[in-house]
Amino acid sequence: MPLYEYKCDRCGQFDAWRSLSDYQKPLNCETCHEPAQRLFSPPTILSAGLSNVRRVSAGEPKWVKSGDREPTKPRNTVKTAGRPWMFGH
C-alpha cells in the first residue's frame, strides 16, 4: 500500500496510506474534514549499483609491503640485445 501526500488549504500537508485502487478517489483532511488535494511526490529509488561499489571497495585488502617478502631482483628484466621493448621469457 503506497503512502500519498495530500495538502489541505486550512491545515497544510499530511500523508495517508491508500490502496492503489483508491488513489484517484477524493480524500478529506484528517483534521477539518475538508477535501484535500493530492500532491505529486516522486518515488524513492535506491540504486543498488552505488551501494555495491561502496561495499566492494570497502572490503578490498590493503597493500602491505614487508621487507622479507620483497624479491631480491626484478622478475621481468629487459634484454638489451635484439628487441629492447620485449621482456625476457
Side-chain angles (χ1 to χ4, degrees):
M1 209 190 276
L3 180 66
Y4 293 102
E5 292 182 64
Y6 289 89
K7 181 181 179 185
C8 174
D9 292 333
R10 289 183 183 176
C11 305
Q13 292 185 4
F14 64 95
D15 298 332
W17 293 98
R18 312 260 333 245
S19 67
L20 288 173
S21 60
D22 293 339
Y23 84 97
Q24 287 186 335
K25 294 180 182 177
L27 181 73
N28 294 334
C29 176
E30 301 168 342
T31 309
C32 66
H33 304 291
E34 292 292 320
Q37 175 184 341
R38 187 167 60 97
L39 301 174
F40 173 77
S41 56
T44 303
I45 299 174
L46 300 175
S47 175
L50 293 176
S51 63
N52 287 340
V53 168
R54 287 187 202 124
R55 190 175 310 128
V56 169
S57 64
E60 290 181 1
K62 305 287 188 244
W63 181 261
V64 178
K65 286 188 175 182
S66 174
D68 56 274
R69 296 184 79 190
E70 290 185 23
T72 56
K73 65 176 189 165
R75 221 170 47 173
N76 297 327
T77 58
V78 178
K79 292 185 177 182
T80 57
R83 301 177 181 158
W85 59 86
M86 293 184 69
F87 289 108
H89 296 284

